[in-house]
Amino acid sequence: MKTKMKKVIFIGGTSYSGSTFFDMILANDPRGFSCGEVHALFNPYRPHHINPLCGCADNRCQVWSRALKNGKKNLYSTIFKLFPEVRFIVDSSKNVFWIKSQTKHLLRNGIECRNVLIWKSPLELACSFRKRNQIGWEKEWLVYHRLYFKAVESWKAIRYRDFTMNKEVLKNVCAYLAIPYFPGKENYWEKKHHTLFGNASAKIHLYKKDSVGYKREGETFGKILGRSHSNIEETHKSIYYKPVDDQSLEDSVTQKIRLNIHLSEIMKLLNYRDISDRSSDGHTVEISKLRMPLILFKMRAGKGLFIRWLKKYKYRIMRYLKTT
Ligand SMILES: [Zn+2]
């Protein structure tokens, strides 16, 4: 397959949708580059976003300090310059306002953009939230998808479960994104990634057991999910899908779906937009009804901008103090 033209692939998805591992699998190619959740480098909103450690776990790595210095508008051109062999960059920042503004800038500069959305069903997402003792999966699922439908024009969806269980799906994803596929591409730990931030349970596979990176991600992963050390070791460097086995959670999610039509309508639409074109049911769903209304979209954009602005300066000051 030809990959002459440079392109940026934006991954969309709610929190805990599997975007970090999806990002690194797509970028597992000598011509690919995984950015991870790079928007947080420019808009830090958590303490660990200042002076971050690169996914390559090398303290001397200069990739992100250079990218930061050159600014967000030059982010992808900085990467293309630093890595001349790279033809496509995968960005799993997921933030819809980031995707929208970066796409606008890239298209103006003649760089192709592609969009793919990875999703978990309401039950799977509710389970991921429960594991982390978090509430609010329903709001996250509804708001994120409605914002995404408003912000992103052309996209295809991929269900997390299908992607982890069926290797053929990766082939279809590569064909849609017009990037090369090869057997074994899913073993993303075979490549050195500079991926920034993202999910510890996906990043732990990058590191050898007993390395600093493995220990760091394992501590985060174990602490958050309550996973034991042997459990983490067993699944190291493997891709697996764990079905939800919790009847009370299933009952509560089914009840919520019954009460909120938007949940099932979004699910139909995501199936309809699936990369493998497996369902025709969603054509009855009007996407315009599911898109976040413009006024609410702008309000969220404004609120997000204000919060990002506040946090950006707070963390910039922290970054400055740390380096002086
Ligand atoms: Zn690095």
Side-chain angles (χ1 to χ4, degrees):
M1 195 169 290
K2 287 181 184 172
T3 49
K4 277 185 183 166
M5 197 174 169
K6 285 179 183 170
K7 75 179 102 183
V8 176
I9 296 162
F10 290 101
I11 295 178
T14 62
S15 307
Y16 318 126
S17 55
S19 60
T20 306
F21 103 113
F22 186 44
D23 172 335
M24 292 189 285
I25 288 175
L26 294 183
N28 182 22
D29 186 296
R31 292 146 289 189
F33 185 94
S34 161
C35 272
E37 296 181 13
V38 68
H39 84 111
L41 179 71
F42 299 95
N43 305 302
Y45 57 95
R46 285 191 187 137
H48 74 280
H49 293 152
I50 54 165
N51 299 323
L53 184 62
C54 183
C56 70
D58 183 345
N59 286 322
R60 295 159 302 172
C61 180
Q62 299 279 310
V63 175
W64 301 117
S65 55
R66 286 202 196 174
L68 191 63
K69 199 173 151 208
N70 292 348
K72 62 181 172 190
K73 283 191 175 173
N74 301 312
L75 167 63
Y76 311 103
S77 57
T78 301
I79 294 169
F80 282 128
K81 242 179 245 168
L82 287 173
F83 302 90
E85 72 284 6
V86 166
R87 309 310 294 167
F88 62 95
I89 295 170
V90 189
D91 181 333
S92 56
S93 294
K94 301 182 291 191
N95 181 295
V96 295
F97 305 108
W98 169 266
I99 297 175
K100 198 172 159 73
S101 68
Q102 292 294 72
T103 299
K104 208 165 135 188
H105 183 70
L106 284 163
L107 293 179
R108 231 182 264 147
N109 289 289
I111 307 278
E112 192 189 345
C113 298
R114 298 266 176 145
N115 291 285
V116 61
L117 175 80
I118 186 160
W119 64 284
K120 277 184 180 169
S121 71
L123 177 61
E124 289 161 341
L125 190 67
C127 184
S128 296
F129 269 62
R130 180 173 276 192
K131 273 185 202 163
R132 293 165 175 87
N133 290 322
Q134 284 186 22
I135 51 163
W137 68 266
E138 190 183 0
K139 191 177 172 202
E140 166 81 7
W141 205 82
L142 287 168
V143 172
Y144 183 85
H145 289 122
R146 298 191 71 196
L147 284 172
Y148 188 85
F149 302 158
K150 184 74 187 165
V152 183
E153 283 291 313
S154 170
W155 55 274
K156 283 271 188 188
I158 186 81
R159 189 167 168 183
Y160 171 79
R161 186 190 62 185
D162 299 342
F163 188 73
T164 47
M165 290 179 78
N166 181 358
K167 284 186 182 174
E168 285 299 302
V169 175
L170 177 57
K171 258 190 208 173
N172 294 339
V173 178
C174 291
Y176 167 67
L177 297 172
I179 59 172
Y181 170 80
F182 57 90
K185 186 175 166 70
E186 66 276 12
N187 301 331
Y188 63 89
W189 45 83
E190 285 170 5
K191 179 184 161 117
K192 174 173 151 184
H193 291 281
H194 297 276
T195 311
L196 216 46
F197 313 121
N199 197 296
S201 62
K203 288 180 85 177
I204 196 166
H205 302 290
L206 294 179
Y207 313 111
K208 281 183 191 149
K209 288 177 185 176
D210 301 323
S211 66
V212 178
Y214 183 83
K215 204 168 164 255
R216 185 190 65 206
E217 303 297 343
E219 274 168 12
T220 317
F221 184 19
K223 220 184 285 166
I224 297 170
L225 297 178
R227 299 279 296 270
S228 67
H229 186 69
S230 61
N231 193 226
I232 295 171
E233 287 220 332
E234 264 169 40
T235 52
H236 192 54
K237 299 198 176 180
S238 67
I239 290 171
Y240 56 93
Y241 175 77
K242 213 167 162 264
V244 179
D245 183 20
D246 185 334
Q247 195 56 48
S248 71
L249 187 64
E250 208 173 323
D251 294 343
S252 115
V253 172
T254 309
Q255 176 73 358
K256 283 192 188 293
I257 292 174
R258 218 175 282 142
L259 293 172
N260 191 337
I261 182 104
H262 275 154
L263 285 167
S264 54
E265 295 282 282
I266 290 172
M267 242 194 306
K268 266 190 210 170
L269 183 70
L270 293 173
N271 275 314
Y272 181 60
R273 289 284 190 116
D274 192 89
I275 265 168
S276 311
D277 292 326
R278 58 183 180 172
S279 159
S280 57
D281 194 26
H283 76 279
T284 56
V285 180
E286 274 185 55
I287 189 167
S288 57
K289 282 189 185 163
L290 295 175
R291 283 187 181 125
M292 189 66 81
L294 187 64
I295 180 79
L296 294 179
F297 185 84
K298 294 221 166 187
M299 277 166 68
R300 283 202 170 256
K303 188 180 155 197
L305 211 65
F306 180 65
I307 293 171
R308 280 206 305 277
W309 181 83
L310 279 181
K311 290 198 172 178
K312 189 160 110 180
Y313 285 100
K314 176 184 162 189
Y315 288 120
R316 272 199 182 167
I317 292 167
M318 281 169 74
R319 185 180 275 151
Y320 175 76
L321 292 175
K322 269 204 170 183
T323 50
T324 53

